[in-house]
Amino acid sequence: MKQNLFVVAILFFGFTAGNDQTGSKSEYEAGNTLFINKKYTDALTHYHKAIELDPDNYQAIFRRATTYFAIGRTKPGLSDLDTVLEQKPDFVGARQQRINVLMKMGRLEDAALDLKYLDAITPSKEDIHSKLQLIDQHQDDLNALKSFAIGENCDVVDEVTSKLLEDHPWDSFLYILRGQCHIAENRLKLAIHDFKHASKLSSDNTDLLYDMSVLEYEVGNVRDALSSIRDCLKLNPDHKKCYSSYKSLRKIVKFLDSMKNSIENEQWSSCLETGAKLLQSDNQELVVKINVYRLTCRCNREEGNVGTAVQECSEVLEFDDSDVDTLIQRAETYMADEEYDLAIADYEKAIEWDSSSETAKSGKEQAKRAKELVGKRDYYKILGVKRNANKREITKAYRKMAQKWHPDNFQNEQEKKRAEKKFIDIAAAKEVLSDEEKRRAFDNGQDPLDSEKGHHAHRGGGGFNGFHGFNPFGRGSQEFFFHF
């Protein structure tokens, strides 16, 4: 009886194992189809199932490794290759792929061991020997780099690390080494760029994240500094340096967010008040001041404080002359002050730093057109609105100016004539700026009413009452009556 039960058990488990292997093969094939169509995430799901059903399915594990590499997940991909080669050491394709990965990671000794293993089992030797020679050469280069003190022989370090990174782009050590030289030569933005690469490649390096945060703060990128500190604390909530920096950075960013919110809601005075509070609380810390001025530059311009706005933008640009947004802000401030040559110069600098900036390109063209209109009738200036004013702002400004300069408000003959002329200009400004086609023509350097003067002269006298049949107060065809 016991013997029969034993036989049944063997048959049952054998049947189950057979089913699992069949199911694993089916999932593996489904994953391959998805992989070929570059649906990597879906392919991974099927490979997971295939391996779960049959942990010894080394082909499924190998395919999953390949899929991990396709989506940039090096660590689990390498782990899968290790598993494959433990199960099947003579799997040449897997070993070659691991060599490629190890080379990219800069793990030269491990790559050399795999190459020597292949050398022993494959007939093709030439490629293997050339790679082993390359590893020896690169190992010598690395040893030379490690012999230098940090921040010394930076020309050599920059040249050698850049060359090595062509073959070992996933080696975080090379990025850190080059970044340290950038710091020594005060090229902080380049150092940050290299440290970011390194932090992605060694995602558990909290000290690197802290150092990167310090650099980001020093170049004025307070938000980036806070982001790096947060990444550090996610990995290690008890990291003393990151934790102590977090509180102060969070406070600064909170103030800056409040200022940005005020700008979005066009609450310019509130923006300036919040900026003043932040500067007061941080005792005029330079980096804090630069971040505040990046925002108050615009807020002061919008409040009409053009001189202060130019001064604040200029201080930001002394700190960082490549700040494209601030170059554009100062250019717009110069536009408001009719300093068109200075505006054009700033727009051109912005384009030099960022050739894709459409704002800078259109701003430059607008400044050129505005310069050409100097001495001519400027409809924006007549209504006292910005060149980017919307229809609501134009209508509001028009009503205010029309009420102010209505000829009936003046008794003196000379003042009344002056008011009539002003009133006509105000009505003309409203007509042009409220009409998209005419406004576009004006922005392109043409006065759309110039071509209409002859036509309107035959409408019944021209002059004030006959001006284009235009009624500034929206009273239909009703005319204005002047009391002489």
Side-chain angles (χ1 to χ4, degrees), residues 199-242:
S199 68
K200 290 176 181 177
L201 296 167
S202 53
S203 57
D204 56 349
N205 193 335
T206 53
D207 289 337
L208 176 60
L209 287 167
Y210 175 76
D211 291 342
M212 191 164 66
S213 173
V214 172
L215 290 175
E216 287 165 336
Y217 182 82
E218 287 184 10
V219 300
N221 294 337
V222 179
R223 293 176 191 279
D224 289 345
L226 178 59
S227 178
S228 295
I229 288 295
R230 282 176 170 154
D231 289 340
C232 170
L233 293 173
K234 285 177 185 176
L235 294 170
N236 181 8
D238 298 322
H239 194 288
K240 290 183 179 179
K241 289 182 178 180
C242 287

Side-chain angles (χ1 to χ4, degrees), residues 97-124:
Q97 188 162 21
R98 188 165 75 172
I99 290 169
N100 291 335
V101 173
L102 292 172
M103 285 289 286
K104 287 182 178 180
M105 295 177 72
R107 289 173 54 179
L108 302 184
E109 292 180 2
D110 293 333
L113 288 174
D114 273 349
L115 282 165
K116 289 173 183 177
Y117 186 95
L118 281 182
D119 189 32
I121 67 171
T122 59
S124 177

Side-chain angles (χ1 to χ4, degrees), residues 13-24:
F13 287 114
F15 176 76
T16 303
N19 279 344
D20 286 347
Q21 288 176 349
T22 301
S24 176

Side-chain angles (χ1 to χ4, degrees), residues 122-141:
T122 59
S124 177
K125 309 288 185 181
E126 187 176 341
D127 185 52
I128 293 172
H129 291 168
S130 65
K131 283 184 178 178
L132 285 169
Q133 288 175 357
L134 182 67
I135 287 176
D136 288 339
Q137 180 186 334
H138 285 187
Q139 194 66 62
D140 290 341
D141 290 339

